[in-house]
Structure formats: structure tokens, C-alpha cells
Amino acid sequence: MDIQLDQISKTEALIKINLKEADYQPKVEEKIKEYSKKANIKGFRQGKVPKGVIQKMYGKSILVDEINHMVSHKVMDYIKENEIELLGEPLPNQEKVEGLDWDNGSEFDFEYSIGMAPEFEVKVDSKVKVDTFSIKVDDALINETLDNLKKQFGEMTNPEQSAEGDSLYGFIQVEGQEEPAGTTLDLTNVEKKSLKKFLEQKSGDVVEFDVEKTIKDEAARAQFLGENKDLTGKIKFEIKNINRTIPAELNQELFDKVFGKDAVKTEEEFIEKVRTAISENYNRETDGYTQLKIRDKFIEDTKIELPDEFLKRWLKLSNQEITDEQIEQEYPLYTNDLKWSMIKSKIAKANEINVEQEEVVEAAKNMIRQQFGSMGMSEQMEANIDTFAMNYLQAEEGKNYRQLQENVFNDKIISFLKDKVTIKSKEVTAEEYKEKA
């Protein structure tokens, strides 16, 4: 068997294989013998079927199967032995395969296209600058959060007439719809100039309004429309119930509901604990943003030449349902993910960053603890945390383990980069962060 690599470019090559009869015939003969021993053919005793009969009935399919098996294994062995770092998977030249004369030929040629990872450099030092944000937890944000908590834990009432701040439960009247689904209109989502027509309404009243002009926020409008998401222009909304929340008092009862029994005792302690919780939440959010900025910075600054046409062809063959238009549209996202994966691998190799099994198991334990964090884990559950973690990691045929391993690996790379690059953080308000990030 002859095999050679023909380099097309830095990132593409052809693996060519020439297979002679002496390479495959022993395997084919061996397979025919196995068939003759196992075949159950009418007119012959089992195990006594002549090889000539097997050859006539199954010879061609045995030949094709054995050669394809031999060639595919040889290609992968060659890639492994020569330490070729693949992008995608080897793609066989189908025209060559379809042109093979299986009936009369004794020598066969195969050809595989491969995409290869290029050589590239990653600069990791303080000269790499990443801009990010930190969110200022000011008095306005604290007061807004306190108001939300008071409303969240407040008392629900059903007044006869609607007022500003209420929510209206009812039905959108649609012609031909016998059983319309109920929906809720939160008046805080209604534009101010349209709000008047929703005030002093009662159960049974019908309000007609332009849904797009009245609820300009797309997410709020979609939530209100529900199954009637395609409605536009003027609609009729029949009110069935008016809901109003009387805010809770800032007292021990509220403290206990929010943070647990006797966790805080005074209003000052409560506000400080709210401030800490907000800071932790926003720190997690801005940390995620910072990670994305680090990722984008390294993708932008690291020059990596990819075999674009090969990868597009491989993506198309890997998923027959995807269209050429979808590939062109999604290809930049795919290549960014691929480049980031390559960059992480290079950084890990250069700095001996690895993920041990113990780290994955510990990450699984912490994930389970977080899931029960709001209610706290009992001593019995904590005592069985090892079992819970292993059950999770072994589920989904190891998919959970691989996903968590990748998460741990990514966290270790990001942590390493944070210590090496220069991160400049600008303090902004929560509203400014929403606009900018």
C-alpha cells in the first residue's frame, strides 16, 4: 500500500492511497472463509458452503467493505503517525470512488482532502489591553431594588377600577378564536401617552388600542400577545381582572422572606445585604462580559489562516439539511469559535494548563450546591454529594462530563489570561451598562 501527502497550501492537503491486490486480497479471502462457515444457504449444510458460492454471492460486497475499512483506518493512522492536526474530518473524493471498477480492477486509488491547523503565534502579556465595565451600585439602584422587593413580597389585591401601576388580566379578542388564551397587560409597559385609556377601567370593559404604538418594548409586547404574536395594528382587549400589589413594609417580616429567618435584624443590615447581593450579581454579569471581551481581543489580534473552502464543504457534508446561505451566514461565528478553541489549546500547551478529573468532579459538586443554594442543602444531601456528582457526570453517555470539563478548562484559561493582560474597567451605572454592553 502506497500513501502520500500532497500539500496544496499551508492549511489544505490531499492524502493519496494506492492499494494493490496483495494489500487487500488476504483480508478478503479470510472474510470469505468466515462467510462460508457461518452462511445459511438453501441446498448446503451450514459451515459447508463452497467458497466459490460465497464469492459469487457476496464477493463484491466483501471486497468493497474490506477495502473501505482498510483505507479509512490507514488514513487515520497516517494522520496520527505524522502528527497532523486536523480541522474538520478527511473528505473522500467521491468522483474517484464512483469511478472505481470493482468487478474487474485489481489496483485501486483513493484520495482524501484534509484541512490542517496552521502555525500561529499568540501574544500573552501586559501589552494586550482589554476594556470592560464595572457597575456602580448607587443609591438609585438600591432604592429601585428595594421597591422591587417590596412589590415582589407585597399583598395582591383586586380593585374594582384600574390605576397606574396595575396589571390587567384578560383576553385578546380575535375573530374566529373560540377559546382565547388569557394574558396579562402590565401597565408599566404601556407608553405614557397611551396610558390614560387603561385607567379607571373595570372587569368586562374592552379597550381597543394599537399594540405596536402602545407597547413599544418588543419583549413585553411578545409576552403580552403570546399565541397571538403575529397580530399587528389595532386589537381589542377584554379585561377580566385587575391586579394591584400593595408594597410590603420594610420590616422584619420582609427581611425574613428575602434572606431567611433572623438573617438580618435591622433596616441598615437589610439594605447593606441587598447592596452586597446586587454587587455580587453585577460582578458575575460584568465578569461574563469581560470574558467575552478577552475572547474577542485574542481572536482579533491572533492571525490564523483557515482552509475556508474546505471547512465550508465539510460543514455542508456533515449536515445535509443546512443550506449554502446558512453556511455563509453562520460561518463567521463558527470560525470565531474554532479560532478561540485553537488559541486556548496553544496557550494551555505552552503553559502546561490541564484539567484533572478531581477538578471536574469538584465543579459538578459546586454546580449541584448552587442549584440548591436558595433553599440550602441538608446535611444528608451534602453527605451524598459525591454520589450526586458522579451520577450527573456519567449521565448522557459522558456528555455532561465533557461539557463540564470544557467549562473548567475555559475558566482556567480565562483566569490565566486575566493575570497576564491589562484590563481597564470603566465604572458605569446599571442603565449605562445595558446600553453599552
Side-chain angles (χ1 to χ4, degrees), residues 424-436:
K424 184 180 178 181
S425 181
K426 180 181 179 181
E427 189 176 63
V428 295
T429 65
E431 287 301 317
E432 288 174 330
Y433 178 76
K434 290 176 184 178
E435 293 175 4
K436 296 177 182 293

Side-chain angles (χ1 to χ4, degrees), residues 360-421:
V360 180
V361 173
E362 190 58 35
K365 292 180 185 178
N366 290 333
M367 182 190 68
I368 293 168
R369 291 186 183 109
Q370 288 175 8
Q371 290 176 348
F372 290 94
S374 59
M375 63 188 76
M377 287 190 69
S378 66
E379 291 183 8
Q380 183 180 1
M381 292 186 73
E382 182 63 38
N384 291 289
I385 190 71
D386 288 341
T387 302
F388 295 150
M390 293 310 297
N391 287 342
Y392 172 79
L393 294 173
Q394 291 170 4
E396 301 292 330
E397 298 181 344
K399 182 180 178 181
N400 290 345
Y401 183 94
R402 292 190 294 273
Q403 181 61 58
L404 205 51
Q405 183 184 44
E406 178 61 28
N407 293 346
V408 174
F409 176 66
N410 188 74
D411 289 344
K412 293 184 78 169
I413 294 293
I414 290 292
S415 179
F416 172 80
L417 293 177
K418 282 181 178 178
D419 289 337
K420 299 294 182 181
V421 305

Side-chain angles (χ1 to χ4, degrees), residues 19 24 27-28 31 35 58-73 102 110:
L19 208 61
Y24 62 81
K27 287 285 186 182
V28 172
K31 226 28 167 181
Y35 266 62
Y58 304 110
K60 183 177 178 179
S61 63
I62 291 173
L63 175 69
V64 172
D65 288 346
E66 284 303 308
I67 288 181
N68 284 335
H69 179 79
M70 185 179 295
V71 169
S72 62
H73 274 72
W102 296 105
F110 296 86

Side-chain angles (χ1 to χ4, degrees), residues 194-338:
S194 304
L195 185 60
K196 187 176 180 180
K197 66 170 59 180
F198 295 94
L199 305 181
E200 298 183 0
Q201 298 290 334
K202 300 184 297 296
S203 176
D205 289 348
V206 177
V207 183
E208 185 175 4
F209 62 94
D210 188 302
V211 68
E212 292 162 306
K213 293 180 180 178
T214 302
I215 312 172
K216 290 191 175 180
D217 183 271
E218 289 186 13
R221 185 168 65 247
Q223 185 174 11
F224 167 69
L225 290 173
E227 63 181 30
N228 300 303
K229 60 183 179 180
D230 296 328
L231 289 179
T232 57
K234 287 189 176 182
I235 64 169
K236 291 182 179 180
F237 178 61
E238 182 180 353
I239 300 170
K240 288 298 181 184
N241 204 26
I242 300 166
N243 300 318
R244 179 178 301 166
T245 301
I246 299 176
E249 296 289 332
L250 203 61
N251 55 25
Q252 190 63 47
E253 183 180 358
L254 177 62
F255 304 162
D256 292 346
K257 286 180 179 178
V258 176
F259 292 116
K261 181 70 173 174
D262 295 331
V264 293
K265 292 286 190 179
T266 66
E267 184 176 318
E268 291 76 15
E269 288 179 5
F270 180 74
I271 292 174
E272 188 56 37
K273 202 166 180 66
V274 168
R275 185 187 302 274
T276 300
I278 294 172
S279 297
E280 290 175 350
N281 287 336
Y282 278 132
N283 285 342
R284 281 192 291 270
E285 186 170 340
T286 53
D287 183 64
Y289 176 78
T290 303
Q291 289 190 33
L292 287 175
K293 294 291 285 185
I294 291 172
R295 172 186 185 273
D296 292 345
K297 181 64 176 174
F298 275 90
I299 291 173
E300 179 184 349
D301 289 355
T302 307
K303 294 182 179 180
I304 303 178
E305 182 183 343
L306 296 176
D308 295 319
E309 292 308 314
F310 169 84
L311 288 173
K312 290 176 183 179
R313 188 155 58 97
W314 173 70
L315 288 170
K316 182 63 183 285
L317 291 172
S318 300
N319 185 356
Q320 297 291 338
E321 295 180 0
I322 196 170
T323 64
D324 292 336
E325 291 76 17
Q326 286 174 315
I327 288 177
E328 290 298 328
Q329 183 179 359
E330 297 174 13
Y331 187 70
L333 297 175
Y334 167 76
T335 53
N336 279 347
D337 286 342
L338 178 59

Side-chain angles (χ1 to χ4, degrees), residues 135-146 278 282 429-430:
I135 299 175
K136 181 182 180 182
V137 183
D138 54 17
D139 290 340
L141 185 56
I142 292 292
N143 291 332
E144 180 185 344
T145 304
L146 291 175
I278 294 172
Y282 278 132
T429 65

